[in-house]
Amino acid sequence: MLFFGHRFLESSSFYHINSIEAITNTPPSSSVFVEFSEQNLDIINHLNKNDIRYALSISNIKELMYASSLECDFIVVDKALAKTAQNIAESYLFDAKILVSIENEGEIEELALLGVDGVIFSNAIIKVNS
């Protein structure tokens, strides 16, 4: 299981951006975090063209399928969607890893039993202003 933002496991952070210009305010070789929406397709296309590693936050199965087709590195889902998203990712052999957004360590065991790829705590996502 991958861990991002756990209090005693070292990991990289994700930089939450809302525009292409905000990328310039992130450290070199960092990973970015983008919420999936049609309005963010320009950002997503820019990330792909420039080989920038990124996570897409999605909220339903349709967006999950789009995220995989958009070739993101990580797909962030909430706990309610975790098992379904992981099953679909395994069925379709997604390259992206499924990360479940969690707030406390008590959720790790349940998610491990569901077989999810990883978890991400909110402190692993740093908001970047344009």
Side-chain angles (χ1 to χ4, degrees):
M1 178 179 271
L2 300 170
F3 292 91
F4 294 94
H6 190 277
R7 62 190 172 92
F8 59 77
L9 297 172
E10 188 174 331
S11 66
S12 56
S13 295
F14 290 85
Y15 294 85
H16 186 183
I17 61 168
N18 290 319
S19 68
I20 293 171
E21 295 75 30
I23 297 169
T24 61
N25 296 327
T26 64
S29 302
S30 61
S31 297
V32 299
F33 178 92
V34 179
E35 293 174 13
F36 179 83
S37 75
E38 194 170 339
Q39 292 76 24
N40 287 339
L41 287 176
D42 61 333
I43 299 169
I44 294 166
N45 288 329
H46 179 83
L47 296 170
N48 283 328
K49 287 178 187 173
N50 291 282
D51 295 319
I52 298 171
R53 193 172 171 163
Y54 69 101
L56 275 179
S57 175
I58 60 104
S59 58
N60 58 52
I61 300 302
K62 181 172 65 172
E63 291 177 0
L64 173 73
M65 302 310 290
Y66 291 153
S68 174
S69 294
L70 289 166
E71 300 179 356
C72 63
D73 299 287
F74 301 98
I75 301 172
V76 180
V77 303
D78 63 23
K79 190 173 161 184
L81 192 57
K83 181 63 176 164
T84 302
Q86 189 66 51
N87 287 343
I88 291 170
E90 290 171 3
S91 292
Y92 285 96
L93 303 174
F94 285 9
D95 290 329
K97 297 292 185 189
I98 302 297
L99 301 179
V100 180
S101 179
I102 65 172
E103 292 300 322
N104 66 67
E105 294 177 12
E107 299 171 272
I108 293 171
E109 183 176 346
E110 177 187 354
L111 294 169
L113 291 171
L114 292 178
V116 298
D117 293 324
V119 296
I120 183 167
F121 290 85
S122 59
N123 64 323
I125 302 170
I126 299 166
K127 184 78 171 168
V128 176
N129 296 320
S130 296

